[in-house]
Every structure is written in structure tokens, then in C-alpha cells.
């Protein structure tokens, strides 16, 4: 599992690359792995405002649809137009060509709530442990 | 605390294979191993192996068992000889579907009924309470594991493991056979739209059978397949899924299962309602749908015509074989016309969706 340094991470498994006031946003390796084959992506349009913690788009696997939550507030200044035709790019390159939108942030303080790569790696490990614990509990109960 | 989930005899095998496990009808089941699309295409092009041991098995036997089964179901049991299987519907008094099942006629008055996992207790109680005289209804689910080997290469793979003449085993027929030296009820049935087999065996033998099948099928490209692929495969064939297309309030005539309903066979539970429905016409019908705009139509999304709700989606996905967004849904009868273009409300956005003939996918002639 890859957690690139220099990115910020949300609890909802989005990543953010910050360059000045611009934030590039996508979903993490962990998120794409949990979703499985991604077959459809819904993105906002340039000029739309997104609000921290509200859904700004959706990714769909063959099985289910999942909201993607805004890790920061701001205005969409660029959208990855290649994604709707090639949604599997998110599975293949979640942190690179699988980016979703670029946003001009309206409040830099939003970044304070996001995690560093180390913190996020620990957060994911915790979530994995919880899954494992559930399984172990099942075994004991049997 | 998490609800205790039931496990099939293959649970540990799935975990070792790196399957993603999910709660399905109270069972911890593999939804996928390497990926739904890959497993789906493996079944269409080569073969896939499914663990469907969560499904229930109810045995009905004793003097009068045939008459009892005939009375409790829509299809004509008398058309089935010993060693034949039949898709059938257990109905309630309102003509609603208690469950959609496969009947296996083991002996003249002995049947094994494969039922949906979520309906096991309901079906058992329903049948047991109504069985009189010498008819015995037994829940035998714990005595069986069930593996499904499905795909064009299924017969070839199985041939190396059994002495049974598989070419002589026609669709919807079954035989007792040793497969990899394991006693099986080997049926040429399945839920994927491909040629294939379902193997009922002793739960203790299931892991061994699973391994031997995968071994024997490796060179033919056999892959383990999860419930995710099972769902997309059945949807491409427009096979109904209980609790989506069928439930206690849906009648088979609404669901387009007219071919299962043998009104001429004599009295059966729900017949009066279905007869009336046949004469007067149904108010809604299950239809196949294909999205014309981007997106995927999911279960419970509303269907609209001229801004008015005329139905709802029951199942929807992106078809891995056809690469198009397909769906099943109920619409009012007047709207249920092939070619009719409706709208589906996808999370606040409206998209055009057309009624198309089913199945969406047909096996290419080999």
C-alpha cells in the first residue's frame, strides 16, 4: 500500500496535493482497492463550488456507488476530463493520472484537519485491524 | 458488536485466496477475489468456480410429496422425471413469490429444493406448516456444500475428474457421481447463463473438491469467482434475484415469469389470483432497461415519464460483457413497451433510459 509523502489525506480516503492555493484532489490507493473495479466517475464542472465534508462527486464500481467528499472548500478550476471515459485509471494510478479535480481553496485552515502520509498510513492500518478483529471475533463465536 | 455471520465450509479457503468478504444474507461470503470484471469475463470466456454453499436445501419426501409440491408451486412438477431439475416458484395465497427455487426430483416422491439463503427459514416454515399426511419437509441445508462450476470450459474441466458421461448429462438434469473421488449430486444447472454444473457434496469434502476443481481447471483458465460476478452475470441474462425483482408482493406474471406458471396443471396456491391477473392484465411489468446517458442506474432509483414517476429500478450495473449500463425495473404496464424512452433519476440528475428486450446478453453459438 502506497502513501506518498507530501500529500494530505482525509478520513474519507481522499488525497490532496497542495500547491499555493490550489488543491489537486483524488481518492487514495486504499479507497480504490476497497471499491474494486471502478466503472464510472461523476465529477463536478469547472466553476462549481465545493464545500468541505460534502460530496462533490461519485465513483462507481460494478457493485456500488460511493460518494467522494470534499476534503477542502473552494472553487473547481480544473476537472480531469479523461476520467469519465477511462474510470479504471483510478484503479491503475490513484495518485497520478487518476486525479479528479483541482480546486482553488477558499480557506487554507481546512488543511489543518487533514492527515500527513504517516498519520494516514496509521489510520488505514487501524481500519484494517478493526476489520481483522471483527473476523477474529467471528471465529471465537463459532 | 458485529452480528455473528455464518460461514460456509470454504470460508478459510476464501480467506487464504485473498477474497474480499462481505455480509450476504447473514453469511460471510466472498464478493470478489481478483476483481468482479475479471471473474465475470472468466466465466463468459473460460470458467469460474463459485461457492454457493450459503444457499439452502430443503428435502420434501414421503407418500403424496409430488401432489404437495404440485400444490405449493407454479410450475408443473409432473413434467419432471427422476434425475431432472426444474426452475420453480413457491407462491403465497396472493400469488406473490415466497421464493424462486430449483427442484431436483431425486425419487418419484422425493425432492431436493435449492432455496435462497435469505429465505431458508421462511421457506421451510411455509412448506412444513402446509405439509400434511405422509409428506415430510426437512431442512437439509447443513448437510450440503454447493459449488458452481460455470463457463464454456466447465465440461472439459470436469471430464478429467469424473467417470460420468457428461455429454449425456443434459441441461437441467443431474446424476449421482464421484468427482475427484468425492460423492456429489452433479447437476447441469446454474445462474450465470453459461453451460455449467452445480455440485452438491458433504460439507467436509467441500474444501478438497474446491482445490481439485481449481487444479484441474488451471490450464483451462478456471478462476474462483465471487458473488459480485454472480450478480453481474445473472443480470446480463435478466435472471431475477429474490428481494430485488421478486418478493412476497410480486407475482410471476408481473415479473415476466409467465413461462413458469402452468395455470392448466390444476389447483395450486395463488392460482386464483394469477388467473384473474391473466384475464385482467397486470398493472406493472418487469422490463429490461439500457441507459442512454452516462451513469449507472441502481436499485430503487425512480423511473419517470414526462416528469411523473412510473416505476423504479430493481437491479442495475455496468455490464462487463457489453460495456453498457443495464438495469431491470418495474414500470406501469402502459409504459412497458420496448423502445419506450423513460428517465431515471440518478442522485438528483435525470438521465434517459430505454426499455430494451431481455436477455441483455446471449451466449454465442459454439
Amino acid at each position: 500500500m502506497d502513501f506518498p509523502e507530501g500529500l494530505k489525506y482525509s478520513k474519507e480516503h481522499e488525497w490532496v496535493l497542495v500547491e499555493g492555493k490550489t488543491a489537486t484532489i483524488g481518492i487514495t490507493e486504499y479507497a480504490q482497492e476497497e471499491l474494486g473495479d471502478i466503472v464510472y466517475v461523476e465529477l463536478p464542472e469547472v466553476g462549481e463550488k465545493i464545500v468541505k465534508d460534502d460530496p462533490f462527486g461519485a465513483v462507481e464500481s460494478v457493485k456500488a456507488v460511493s460518494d467522494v467528499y470534499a476534503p477542502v472548500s473552494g472553487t473547481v478550476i480544473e476537472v480531469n476530463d479523461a476520467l469519465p471515459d477511462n474510470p479504471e485509471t483510478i484503479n491503475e494510478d490513484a495518485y497520478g493520472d487518476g486525479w479528479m479535480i483541482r480546486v482553488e481553496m477558499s480557506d487554507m485552515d481546512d488543511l489543518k484537519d487533514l492527515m500527513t502520509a504517516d498519520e494516514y498510513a496509521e489510520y488505514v492500518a487501524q481500519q484494517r485491524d478493526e476489520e481483522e478483529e471483527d473476523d477474529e471475533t467471528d471465529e471465537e463465536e463459532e | 458488536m458485529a452480528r455473528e455471520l455464518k460461514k460456509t465450509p470454504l470460508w478459510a479457503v476464501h480467506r487464504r485466496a485473498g477474497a474480499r468478504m462481505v455480509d450476504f444474507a447473514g453469511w460471510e461470503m466472498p464478493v470478489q477475489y481478483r476483481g468482479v470484471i475479471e471473474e465475470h469475463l472468466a466465466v463468459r470466456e473460460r470458467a469460474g468456480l463459485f461457492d454457493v454453499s450459503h444457499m439452502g436445501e430443503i428435502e420434501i419426501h414421503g407418500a403424496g410429496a409430488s401432489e404437495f409440491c404440485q400444490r405449493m408451486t407454479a410450475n408443473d412438477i409432473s413434467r419432471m422425471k427422476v434425475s431432472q431439475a426444474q426452475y420453480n416458484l413457491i407462491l403465497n395465497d396472493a400469488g406473490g413469490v415466497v421464493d424462486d427455487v430449483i427442484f431436483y426430483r431425486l425419487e418419484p416422491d422425493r425432492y431436493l429444493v435449492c432455496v435462497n439463503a435469505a429465505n431458508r427459514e421462511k421457506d421451510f416454515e411455509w412448506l412444513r406448516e402446509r405439509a400434511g399426511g405422509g409428506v415430510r419437509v426437512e431442512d437439509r441445508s447443513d448437510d450440503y456444500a454447493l459449488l458452481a462450476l460455470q463457463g464454456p470450459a466447465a465440461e472439459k474441466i470436469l471430464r478429467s475428474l469424473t467417470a460420468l458421461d457428461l455429454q449425456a448429462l443434459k441441461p437441467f438434469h443431474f446424476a449421482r457421481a464421484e468427482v475427484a473421488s468425492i460423492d456429489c449430486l452433479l447437476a447441469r444447472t446454474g445462474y450465470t447463463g453459461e453451460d455449467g454444473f452445480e455440485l452438491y457434496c458433504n460439507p467436509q469434502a467441500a474444501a478438497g473438491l474446491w482445490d481439485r476443481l481449481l487444479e484441474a481447471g488451471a490450464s483451462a483458465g478456471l478462476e474462483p469467482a465471487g458473488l459480485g460476478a454472480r450478480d453481474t452475470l445473472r443480470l446480463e441474462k435478466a435472471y431475477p434475484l429474490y428481494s430485488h425483482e421478486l418478493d412476497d408482493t410480486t407475482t410471476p406474471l408481473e415479473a415476466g415469469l409467465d413461462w413458469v406458471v402452468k395455470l392448466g396443471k390444476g389447483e395450486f396456491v395463488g392460482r386464483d389470483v394469477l388467473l384473474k391477473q391473466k384475464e385482467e392484465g397486470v398493472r406493472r411489468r418487469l422490463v429490461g432497461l439500457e441507459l442512454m446517458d452516462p451513469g449507472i442506474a441502481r436499485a430503487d432509483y425512480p423511473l419517470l415519464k414526462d416528469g411523473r414517476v412510473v416505476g423504479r429500478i430493481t437491479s442495475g450495473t455496468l455490464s462487463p460483457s457489453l460495456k453498457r449500463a443495464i438495469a431491470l425495473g418495474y414500470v406501469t404496464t402502459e409504459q412497458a413497451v420496448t423502445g419506450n424512452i423513460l428517465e431515471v433519476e440518478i442522485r438528483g440528475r435525470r438521465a434517459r433510459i430505454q426499455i430494451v428486450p431481455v436477455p441483455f446478453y446471449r451466449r454465442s453459438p459454439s
Side-chain angles (χ1 to χ4, degrees):
Chain A
M1 180 90 12
D2 201 15
F3 307 103
E5 294 290 335
L7 300 181
K8 300 260 182 204
Y9 299 87
S10 75
K11 286 191 170 171
E12 300 288 348
H13 306 286
E14 288 85 27
W15 58 261
V16 185
L17 170 68
V18 183
E19 293 163 304
K21 287 190 78 174
T22 303
T24 304
I25 298 167
I27 66 167
T28 68
E29 187 83 14
Y30 173 80
Q32 69 79 17
E33 214 171 83
E34 287 289 300
L35 282 163
D37 298 316
I38 293 168
V39 292
Y40 184 71
V41 183
E42 198 172 275
L43 298 172
E45 283 176 21
V46 170
E48 269 184 50
K49 291 208 181 337
I50 65 167
V51 179
K52 185 172 179 289
D53 298 332
D54 283 357
F56 73 79
V59 286
E60 303 202 30
S61 68
V62 275
K63 282 301 287 173
V65 51
S66 303
D67 284 319
V68 186
Y69 294 89
V72 295
S73 297
T75 306
V76 178
I77 53 169
E78 200 181 340
V79 170
N80 187 351
D81 291 326
L83 272 191
D85 289 333
N86 306 284
E88 68 281 1
T89 309
I90 295 177
N91 292 122
E92 291 156 7
D93 191 9
Y95 297 117
D97 291 342
W99 70 276
M100 297 175 79
I101 55 170
R102 284 205 173 90
V103 173
E104 185 175 295
M105 286 183 280
S106 54
D107 186 353
M108 298 299 279
D109 279 353
D110 286 347
L111 297 171
K112 285 181 189 162
D113 295 335
L114 300 176
M115 290 176 269
T116 65
D118 285 348
E119 285 164 348
Y120 181 65
E122 199 175 313
Y123 177 72
V124 166
Q126 254 172 31
Q127 300 232 313
R128 288 250 152 113
D129 280 351
E130 276 166 29
E131 280 174 29
E132 290 296 313
E133 263 171 44
D134 284 347
D135 293 338
E136 278 161 29
T137 319
D138 287 345
E139 262 178 301
E140 280 161 22
E141 281 169 359
E142 242 199 349
Chain B
M1 198 161 103
R3 180 160 65 108
E4 185 185 350
L5 294 177
K6 287 180 268 192
K7 298 185 175 90
T8 79
L10 294 166
W11 181 84
V13 175
H14 302 316
R15 295 288 304 217
R16 266 203 303 280
R20 174 158 323 138
M21 309 296 280
V22 295
D23 176 357
F24 181 84
W27 290 79
E28 191 176 343
M29 296 298 291
V31 64
Q32 65 166 63
Y33 301 81
R34 298 205 321 195
V36 173
I37 294 177
E38 184 180 332
E39 292 158 28
H40 178 111
L41 296 176
V43 174
R44 288 271 181 259
E45 291 159 11
R46 305 183 305 274
L49 185 60
F50 300 84
D51 175 17
V52 279
S53 302
H54 61 308
M55 308 223 22
E57 289 85 13
I58 294 172
E59 204 173 295
I60 303 169
H61 58 96
S66 295
E67 291 74 14
F68 173 68
C69 292
Q70 191 75 313
R71 187 156 51 80
M72 299 307 293
T73 64
N75 209 336
D76 187 354
I77 292 279
S78 71
R79 291 190 186 189
M80 189 182 9
K81 298 190 183 77
V82 170
S83 295
Q84 279 189 358
Q86 184 183 65
Y87 180 68
N88 207 336
L89 302 164
I90 301 172
L91 299 182
N92 60 33
D93 297 317
V97 181
V98 176
D99 202 2
D100 69 325
V101 300
I102 302 278
F103 268 75
Y104 296 91
R105 192 167 194 173
L106 304 175
E107 293 169 20
D109 256 337
R110 187 175 211 101
Y111 299 85
L112 190 69
V113 191
C114 182
V115 306
N116 281 297
N119 292 341
R120 172 180 160 186
E121 284 87 7
K122 181 182 79 166
D123 293 355
F124 175 65
E125 288 305 322
W126 178 264
L127 294 168
R128 193 186 55 85
E129 280 168 12
R130 284 158 185 80
V135 179
R136 293 275 167 277
V137 179
E138 287 179 62
D139 185 351
R140 297 282 310 274
S141 304
D142 294 339
D143 299 335
Y144 290 102
L146 178 56
L147 276 56
L149 175 68
Q150 301 277 299
E155 186 188 304
K156 186 180 149 224
I157 293 164
L158 210 49
R159 212 182 291 150
S160 62
L161 295 176
T162 183
L164 185 77
D165 179 3
L166 293 171
Q167 281 198 317
L169 190 66
K170 299 273 177 280
F172 277 83
H173 283 68
F174 66 92
R176 300 264 178 199
E178 276 197 358
V179 177
S181 306
I182 294 161
D183 280 324
C184 291
L185 188 158
L186 178 57
R188 200 158 202 153
T189 51
Y191 189 54
T192 61
E194 297 300 325
D195 183 23
F197 301 86
E198 291 181 302
L199 297 91
Y200 295 80
C201 71
N202 184 316
Q204 272 124 35
L209 183 59
W210 176 271
D211 289 343
R212 291 297 306 279
L213 284 165
L214 281 182
E215 243 170 65
S219 61
L222 174 65
E223 286 191 41
L227 294 186
R230 190 172 163 83
D231 190 46
T232 51
L233 287 158
R234 70 92 195 169
L235 189 47
E236 284 184 347
K237 291 295 291 182
Y239 292 156
L241 174 62
Y242 201 87
S243 86
H244 284 247
E245 283 74 39
L246 300 174
D247 61 38
D248 298 283
T249 69
T250 356
T251 77
L253 302 181
E254 294 167 338
L257 294 172
D258 308 47
W259 64 275
V260 189
V261 181
K262 304 298 187 320
L263 289 167
K265 74 169 181 173
E267 262 320 300
F268 62 90
V269 174
R271 181 174 180 268
D272 296 348
V273 178
L274 297 184
L275 210 53
K276 190 157 176 275
Q277 219 173 43
K278 191 99 183 170
E279 281 161 14
E280 294 175 1
V282 292
R283 286 188 297 118
R284 57 172 183 167
R285 278 199 82 91
L286 188 69
V287 294
L289 298 150
E290 209 173 285
L291 211 55
M292 302 167 78
D293 293 321
I296 298 175
R298 303 278 182 189
D300 291 331
Y301 289 0
L303 289 161
L304 304 100
K305 183 77 177 184
D306 305 325
R308 197 168 52 87
V309 174
V310 293
R312 70 178 178 90
I313 302 284
T314 50
S315 295
T317 192
L318 185 102
S319 158
S321 304
L322 309 169
K323 315 256 186 273
R324 295 197 292 269
I326 58 169
L328 293 171
Y330 278 100
V331 296
T332 55
T333 306
E334 54 269 30
Q335 295 297 336
V337 183
T338 298
N340 189 8
I341 296 170
L342 306 173
E343 282 186 311
V344 58
E345 196 170 295
I346 300 178
R347 299 146 52 82
R349 171 174 70 86
R350 286 193 188 167
R352 289 171 306 150
I353 193 164
Q354 186 168 32
I355 298 180
V356 297
V358 290
F360 302 100
Y361 167 89
R362 280 177 204 278
R363 204 191 303 171
S364 50
S366 48

